[in-house]
Amino acid sequence: MNLSELLNQGVTALSAALGSREVSAVEIATAYLDRIEQAQPELNAFITVDREHTLRDATLADSMRAASPGQSLAGIPIAQKDVFCAKGWRTTAGSHMLENFIAPYDSAVVQQLNKQGFVTLGRANMDEFAMGSSNENSYFGPVKNPWDLSRVPGGSSGGSAAAVAAGLAPAATGTDTGGSIRQPAAWCGISGIKPTYGRVSRFGMIAYASSLDQAGIFARSAQDLAILMDVISGHDPRDATSVDRKDAPCAKELDKDIRGLRVGIPKQWFGEGLSAGVKIVVESAIQELVMMGCECVEIDLPMSEQAIPAYYVIAPAEASSNLSRFDGVRFGHRAAQYKDLAELYERSRGEGFGPEVKRRILMGSYVLSHGYYDAYYLQAQRVRRLIANDFERAFMLCDVIAGPVAPTTAFPLGSFGADPVQMYLADLYTIPVNLAGLPALSIPAGFDAGMPVGLQLIGPWWQEARLLQTAHAFQIATDWHTKRPALYSGLKP
Ligand code: GLN
């Protein structure tokens, strides 16, 4: 296999090539950095690229391998969403507020990856503080969709998804608070997983809505997702919501037979709101699962239509509290001119945050204020419980749930500038999963008018292995996950 072919393969192929000494970590990193340089002016998938830092990591990975050949992942490159603190790397969360913040320590996810010798290729672009569905809210400019540069890649982890789809990285990290891994994975035609809440430590991950945020992975296949999930999972006492469990590694169980698996089809998710083109693709993917020996059962998720209103109370409420630390004193941008402390806060926050972030802080402060707390926040928490109950009942009838990721394919840049609520509505199939804390993934399932469509698989708590088995079996039977955007097939090498 020549270098160019190798770069288009995933983690598994790279690991084999590194293991047989066909290629070094430095050669692989250099080649991806060259690709990033070619694509960056157009795609804008990265906020920060630091060639020297990356090559230092790669040199270290090569010596790790030389010292202990058992390090099977050392030298695999990865793009990091710019929300994970990484020592010595500028960590902006897509915000002017943190434009000059160099993280003094590693987040848990970065630490786990570094321990295995992964090489950071750069810091992936994202919506400011992970708020958005299109990556248009980044202070560093929008990311383009590699399948069609006039369209968005999805958000908020749009840079991570675009980088993997365009062949600029074999894998990337992401975070998913209401769909920010699954939706950009679907819209860029790659695989992405959001684990069970509590499976991956949130330590060092810049918080948006702490009771919903989960770190996860983008890659080219379910097999690669499984390998990376095993690296980043695990208990961490530094995150009070991290759960101490000893689950079998996902990668070990990947080949388990899925015949007889009961696949739940939510009857509310295929009606009004779902575009005809996406519906056809998702339904034929489900037919494929049936042909592979799965059994379909209809399930009822009556409360899921309340998920968006509940989420847009809970997430902004938590965000308004989390983002209060960015005041120009302890963290973040400080205004150049102010006459007293109050004005220092006002100006620093006024200048540092973008419009969507301000909107959410306002909404969050409002729903938490005295007199409105009971009417909005408490009520939203009740709805959240009912949504989780729906899923719990559904999982008595089925083993996994299958459905769409998003109601449409990627929309043109600038579609919702004037109407953010329209954009919020696009998260209707992903948000219920975060409210319930469940694991879910998106895998490529076909195309609608040339744009990729994802299939969402949702599992019971802690059943990532089952989800990945199902996705892996689907990818053995189909080749959607191997399709690459023509625009980026000519990158060198
Ligand atoms: N689009 C949703 C929001 O704007 C979800 C974002 C996310 O998952 N980080 O809040």
Side-chain angles (χ1 to χ4, degrees):
M1 205 183 300
N2 67 30
L3 189 56
S4 172
E5 279 163 9
L6 186 61
L7 298 192
N8 293 338
Q9 305 288 313
V11 172
T12 312
L14 286 165
S15 160
L18 283 160
S20 65
R21 296 180 167 271
E22 228 173 279
V23 62
S24 72
V26 169
E27 283 166 331
I28 292 176
T30 306
Y32 277 118
L33 286 168
D34 290 347
R35 281 187 169 194
I36 291 171
E37 213 170 277
Q38 295 161 64
Q40 180 64 11
E42 204 165 52
L43 212 55
N44 199 27
F46 288 87
I47 291 175
T48 306
V49 180
D50 179 345
R51 193 174 269 265
E52 271 157 42
H53 197 151
T54 299
L55 293 178
R56 252 193 337 264
D57 276 10
T59 308
L60 197 69
D62 278 327
S63 40
M64 263 169 99
R65 263 186 194 271
S68 63
Q71 291 273 18
S72 65
L73 299 172
I76 308 272
I78 189 161
Q80 298 280 9
K81 184 174 181 178
D82 207 16
V83 76
F84 292 97
C85 286
K87 193 173 177 175
W89 282 93
R90 183 163 77 124
T91 301
T92 71
S95 182
H96 181 36
M97 186 55 103
L98 290 175
E99 191 175 3
N100 300 311
F101 175 64
I102 310 284
Y105 69 102
D106 284 332
S107 56
V109 165
V110 166
Q111 216 170 35
Q112 300 283 72
L113 289 163
N114 285 352
K115 220 190 290 170
Q116 300 298 321
F118 277 85
V119 174
T120 299
L121 281 174
R123 309 285 304 174
N125 203 342
M126 57 180 284
D127 280 307
E128 186 175 3
F129 288 104
M131 298 174 187
S133 308
S134 68
N135 220 113
E136 293 168 295
N137 296 336
S138 168
Y139 175 69
F140 302 90
V143 178
K144 312 283 169 56
N145 189 309
W147 293 88
D148 174 350
L149 298 172
S150 72
R151 290 172 190 271
V152 303
S156 64
S157 318
S160 300
V164 174
L168 312 182
T173 53
T175 56
D176 191 313
T177 304
S180 282
I181 292 176
R182 289 159 288 158
Q183 183 253 28
W187 285 2
C188 289
I190 59 169
S191 305
I193 184 165
K194 172 233 173 274
T196 307
Y197 183 80
R199 186 172 185 123
V200 177
S201 169
R202 289 182 297 107
F203 176 79
M205 193 173 108
I206 297 171
Y208 162 17
S210 311
S211 77
L212 299 156
D213 298 342
Q214 249 311 275
I217 298 292
F218 293 93
R220 299 242 165 76
S221 65
Q223 186 175 25
D224 289 357
L225 290 181
I227 293 170
L228 280 142
M229 269 309 302
D230 290 338
V231 175
I232 65 167
S233 298
H235 180 235
D236 180 359
R238 297 169 300 180
D239 169 3
T241 58
S242 156
V243 179
D244 194 3
R245 283 173 60 103
K246 303 271 170 292
D247 292 283
C250 293
K252 274 225 175 76
E253 306 199 353
L254 209 55
D255 291 313
K256 242 186 177 160
D257 196 353
I258 63 155
R259 271 173 302 179
L261 192 84
R262 296 166 306 163
V263 178
I265 312 296
K267 65 177 182 212
Q268 287 85 359
W269 289 14
F270 288 84
E272 211 189 318
L274 183 62
S275 82
V278 171
K279 186 172 175 192
I280 291 170
V281 171
V282 173
E283 281 175 347
S284 55
I286 291 169
Q287 267 319 303
E288 182 69 42
L289 289 172
V290 171
M291 267 150 26
M292 290 159 54
C294 299
E295 181 195 318
C296 278
V297 289
E298 189 180 81
I299 59 158
D300 201 12
L301 298 175
M303 286 304 290
S304 63
E305 66 181 38
Q306 304 300 326
I308 291 179
Y311 174 89
Y312 279 99
V313 170
I314 295 168
E318 294 183 17
S320 71
S321 160
N322 275 327
L323 270 55
S324 65
R325 60 170 65 91
F326 303 107
D327 57 8
V329 176
R330 291 169 298 169
F331 292 98
H333 168 81
R334 179 180 296 181
Q337 279 171 2
Y338 45 85
K339 56 177 192 305
D340 54 19
L341 184 63
E343 200 176 293
L344 162 68
Y345 290 150
E346 283 163 19
R347 291 214 173 174
S348 301
R349 288 168 68 80
E351 291 164 10
F353 291 134
E356 184 60 27
V357 173
K358 285 181 186 157
R359 189 176 293 126
R360 307 244 181 146
I361 292 174
L362 286 174
M363 271 199 294
S365 309
Y366 179 81
V367 299
L368 288 178
S369 60
H370 182 72
Y372 294 104
Y373 181 88
D374 288 0
Y376 293 105
Y377 186 72
L378 224 51
Q379 196 63 7
Q381 292 291 16
R382 293 197 182 103
V383 170
R384 182 177 191 173
R385 162 52 59 194
L386 294 176
I387 288 169
N389 290 352
D390 271 4
F391 279 112
E392 223 167 345
R393 260 193 306 274
F395 283 123
M396 293 198 272
L397 304 173
C398 65
D399 305 304
V400 302
I401 293 172
V405 177
T408 62
T409 56
F411 51 76
L413 283 146
S415 300
F416 297 119
D419 190 357
V421 175
Q422 279 309 312
M423 177 125 64
Y424 297 173
L425 297 178
D427 295 330
L428 79 162
Y429 310 122
T430 49
I431 280 179
V433 172
N434 299 74
L435 288 170
L438 297 166
L441 54 75
S442 169
I443 46 174
F447 292 85
D448 172 24
M451 294 306 291
V453 176
L455 171 71
Q456 182 172 212
L457 298 175
I458 306 165
W461 291 298
W462 308 103
Q463 298 299 321
E464 281 82 349
R466 188 189 292 166
L467 286 180
L468 289 161
Q469 284 151 17
T470 314
H472 181 58
F474 184 83
Q475 293 183 338
I476 288 176
T478 63
D479 65 356
W480 300 115
H481 65 294
T482 65
K483 307 281 187 224
R484 312 286 318 283
L487 284 173
Y488 288 90
S489 59
L491 293 175
K492 305 226 169 358

